[in-house]
Amino acid sequence: MKLMWFHLMPYTELPDDFRDKHPSVWVDIHSSLFDPKRAHHMYNDFMDEMEFAADCGFDAICCNEHHSNGYGLMPSPNLIATALARRTTDTAICVMGNSLALYNPPTRVAEEFAMIDCISGGRLIAGFPVGTPMDTTFAYGQNPSMLRERYLEAHDLVMRAWQEKDTFAFNGRFNQQRYVNIWPRPVQQPHPPVWIPGGGSVETWRWCAEMDYVYCYLSYYGYKAGQATMQGFWSEMDRLGKDRNPYRAGFLQFVGVAESRSEAMERYAEAAEYFYGRCLHVDPRFASPPGYNTEATMRAGLESQVKRAAEEAARAQSESAQPGHNKPKDQLAGVTTGTTAGTRFNMVARNMEDIVERGYVVVGSPKDVAEQLEYVAKTLNVGHFMLLLQYGNMSKELTKYNTKLFAEQVMPKLKPLFSEWEDKWWPKPMEKSARAALPAFRPAAAE
């Protein structure tokens, strides 16, 4: 199987009282909380961590796109991916991805992804998310009821731009271009592999099957909560007559490795509690605007995990404020009315014991983690693991420790899984001998 190192690039210095004094980490988070001089160090640490992961032998390094938030500081993942393309050699570069409906014209995506593919020598994985409502509707002002139509039209334009050799005109509902003729063009032909991150939409499952794309469930809540979504996906693949090749799917999992379970619980508690307590603090009014979810998805009982987290947090806060209510807020936050595919989950845990108990974060010794992840891979039938080994306010030192220990003692036990299947959705780079040599980094001023 493929083991991929994913970075969200969260702002690591949100204050301790963030939840109490600020309504949301997304959309209207106050600019006074952002210190550009501190972010300078964060960005450089984050990129060091991603390069370190590549050096440790992970199959890919992954980045993504979000806007107006402290959850992930990558409004342009292409900038990050371009730097990584220059500073790595064999590792695939997964941009998960560009929110197509936000680009005007979408040919900008075709051009920039082609640049990354050229610079890297054909190592790009092209991710095309619809985008969260916080990013698309509220931060970028898109009409939620038209978002999926915009997305599909943008997708068609990008794919034609990559594949048609002659200049062509495009006359769509949202995009009209007299001359489409992108330069540069991608190394990988007919196009780089396309992966679609999703939250459980029925239409997305069907579309991935129709287009033969990889479906990636980027779950905040780990494998226990992800089972219903992935079971729904594979049931739909069965119904559509697709094989159960595990490489059709990707899954995101938080992980913390140490010499023992008790040490892992201690080492990763602060970072995990920071992420679930602050980075997922989303105001419910931003989580699910009318028209964002399609009728088929709502009929299937599928809900955005952001919406579940936001609404449950608000409900818990409201109940704990009622006179005579003696349940502590943290205990209330562990109960939910949210459902996915008809199954109730306990969500929004914010203390380490509950976070681990509910499977949000897999922690333990290398042996423990390898056994748990092997179970997850086989249970969910997923051949691409996107692993969050940095989350919340985790330090650079702890991130490197987690990454190195995983690479040395967990990865070798997982790599042989699914060897009987072909991964038809992996990049096909140029022969190594034909690629440019990676020069040793040295500032020009030092020469």
Side-chain angles (χ1 to χ4, degrees):
M1 73 179 305
K2 300 293 196 306
L3 287 307
M4 310 170 67
W5 202 97
F6 202 120
H7 212 316
L8 295 174
M9 292 194 176
Y11 194 80
T12 59
E13 297 178 6
L14 296 173
D16 293 341
D17 60 0
F18 177 73
R19 290 186 63 86
D20 298 324
K21 293 190 175 180
H22 299 272
S24 184
V25 76
W26 230 309
V27 182
D28 64 354
I29 182 172
H30 202 272
S31 62
S32 62
L33 297 176
F34 185 85
D35 183 341
K37 294 179 180 178
R38 294 298 302 141
H40 162 75
H41 292 281
M42 292 178 201
Y43 276 122
N44 281 276
D45 283 349
F46 294 157
M47 295 184 74
D48 283 348
E49 292 160 7
M50 298 178 86
E51 291 175 16
F52 182 78
D55 290 341
C56 285
F58 282 81
D59 293 301
I61 40 181
C62 313
C63 52
N64 64 353
E65 177 180 334
H66 291 299
H67 303 277
S68 304
N69 76 102
Y71 157 88
L73 301 178
M74 271 188 283
S76 178
N78 296 357
L79 292 178
I80 302 299
T82 302
L84 293 171
R86 175 67 172 162
R87 299 270 288 155
T88 59
T89 52
D90 299 320
T91 312
I93 297 171
C94 178
V95 183
M96 187 58 68
N98 282 182
S99 299
L100 288 178
L102 303 186
Y103 289 80
N104 185 18
T107 44
R108 184 77 182 182
V109 174
E111 293 171 327
E112 292 187 4
F113 270 175
M115 281 186 69
I116 297 168
D117 207 43
C118 284
I119 294 169
S120 68
R123 291 183 282 135
L124 174 71
I125 296 170
F128 291 157
V130 173
T132 73
M134 295 83 74
D135 296 315
T136 55
T137 299
F138 295 101
Y140 267 52
Q142 295 295 325
N143 183 330
S145 66
M146 301 169 70
L147 192 64
R148 191 169 290 270
E149 291 179 64
R150 281 186 175 275
Y151 170 87
L152 292 172
E153 181 177 297
H155 161 271
D156 292 347
L157 175 51
V158 169
M159 298 305 286
R160 281 190 66 187
W162 276 343
Q163 296 176 79
E164 292 204 15
K165 304 304 181 185
D166 297 325
T167 302
F168 65 92
F170 189 89
N171 187 26
R173 178 182 178 186
F174 306 104
N175 302 276
Q176 298 84 37
Q177 289 176 250
R178 176 65 185 87
Y179 300 101
V180 179
N181 179 32
I182 65 161
W183 276 61
R185 305 181 78 85
V187 167
Q188 298 181 83
Q189 293 295 320
H191 55 78
V194 175
W195 293 18
I196 308 298
S201 165
V202 173
E203 289 86 357
T204 301
W205 296 342
R206 294 170 182 166
W207 191 62
C208 285
E210 177 188 349
M211 303 303 296
D212 201 28
Y213 294 159
V214 173
Y215 173 74
C216 302
Y217 185 46
L218 306 185
S219 172
Y220 304 129
Y221 302 120
Y223 65 95
K224 293 183 180 180
Q227 286 183 7
T229 296
M230 295 312 302
Q231 287 170 2
F233 170 77
W234 287 115
S235 294
E236 187 66 15
M237 294 305 101
D238 292 341
R239 191 186 71 80
L240 295 171
K242 299 294 182 179
D243 63 27
R244 295 180 69 88
N245 186 333
Y247 293 111
R248 289 188 180 276
F251 187 77
L252 182 87
Q253 180 64 56
F254 291 65
V255 177
V257 193
E259 294 303 323
S260 66
R261 187 180 188 281
S262 60
E263 182 184 341
M265 292 288 287
E266 183 178 351
R267 278 182 179 268
Y268 300 108
E270 180 184 348
E273 290 175 358
Y274 180 101
F275 179 83
Y276 287 99
R278 298 178 223 185
C279 294
L280 288 187
H281 179 50
V282 179
D283 193 301
R285 72 184 189 275
F286 300 136
S288 187
Y292 180 78
N293 292 322
T294 64
E295 180 181 351
T297 296
M298 290 189 290
R299 285 183 180 279
L302 299 168
E303 288 184 342
S304 159
Q305 55 187 339
V306 175
K307 177 177 182 286
R308 292 199 304 271
E311 291 183 346
E312 175 54 29
R315 186 189 69 81
Q317 185 173 13
S318 174
E319 289 188 7
S320 64
Q322 293 177 6
H325 208 291
N326 57 8
K327 277 191 177 182
K329 286 173 68 175
D330 280 350
Q331 186 176 346
L332 276 168
V335 184
T336 185
T337 57
T339 60
T340 293
T343 304
R344 294 181 181 273
F345 298 120
N346 291 329
M347 293 296 188
V348 206
R350 293 198 294 272
N351 66 79
M352 188 59 171
E353 291 289 341
D354 286 342
I355 286 169
V356 173
E357 173 64 25
R358 293 175 186 141
Y360 298 7
V361 182
V362 169
V363 301
S365 68
K367 181 176 181 294
D368 294 337
V369 170
E371 289 176 353
Q372 290 181 72
L373 291 181
E374 181 176 352
Y375 170 80
V376 173
K378 290 179 177 179
T379 301
L380 303 186
N381 195 42
V382 170
H384 300 113
F385 259 157
M386 286 162 280
L387 302 159
L388 276 173
L389 294 157
Q390 192 285 342
Y391 36 89
N393 62 351
M394 191 183 295
S395 69
K396 184 177 180 178
E397 293 72 24
L398 184 54
T399 300
K400 285 189 169 184
Y401 170 84
N402 198 19
T403 300
K404 189 170 188 291
L405 194 56
F406 186 98
E408 291 179 347
Q409 299 190 36
V410 179
M411 191 185 300
K413 298 177 182 178
L414 298 176
K415 291 284 287 182
L417 294 177
F418 307 124
S419 58
E420 68 276 19
W421 291 95
E422 178 189 0
D423 188 349
K424 299 181 289 186
W425 301 272
W426 197 251
K428 295 178 175 59
M430 297 164 55
E431 292 293 332
K432 194 167 184 179
S433 60
R435 283 184 258 155
L438 179 68
F441 178 71
R442 184 171 58 179
E447 295 182 354

